Amino acid sequence: THAEKEVANDVVMVDVSIVRHGVDVPAMTKETNTDTAWAMNLAKQAKGVESKTTSFSTSGSYAGDGAPQTWDVSQSIHLESQDPQVLS
């Protein structure tokens, strides 16, 4: 028997994260959301790029007394394209 199947060309995948570090969680969240919207808009304008947001997180760095001292707010974006140049 003979089996034959066409397969898609290679796909380049890139994951990027927008991260804010500080003490004002509402402001950092707003800035992160603004930057994410900007990046997603840029990705949508690029020909042949598929994009989606993936994870959003807020985490604290705690002192010895258990109280959060600083916070990290992050949002990740996943990009895919068959054209590596468009993702560079």
Side-chain angles (χ1 to χ4, degrees):
T1 61
H2 177 76
E4 188 173 310
K5 179 180 178 181
E6 277 192 43
V7 294
N9 289 333
D10 290 340
V11 174
V12 177
M13 294 180 274
V14 176
D15 291 303
V16 295
S17 294
I18 298 160
V19 180
R20 293 275 187 256
H21 181 77
V23 295
D24 189 348
V25 174
M28 294 184 321
T29 299
K30 184 176 180 180
E31 292 170 0
T32 300
N33 289 338
T34 298
D35 290 349
T36 300
W38 174 83
M40 291 297 290
N41 186 49
L42 190 64
K44 287 178 184 175
Q45 293 176 27
K47 185 177 180 180
V49 174
E50 293 183 29
S51 61
K52 64 181 177 181
T53 56
T54 52
S55 64
F56 180 89
S57 69
T58 302
S59 60
S61 296
Y62 295 86
D65 63 359
Q69 298 297 303
T70 59
W71 294 90
D72 291 321
V73 175
S74 66
Q75 171 74 61
S76 295
I77 299 173
H78 179 80
L79 305 168
E80 291 186 9
S81 179
Q82 290 184 343
D83 182 357
Q85 293 297 325
V86 75
L87 293 180
S88 62

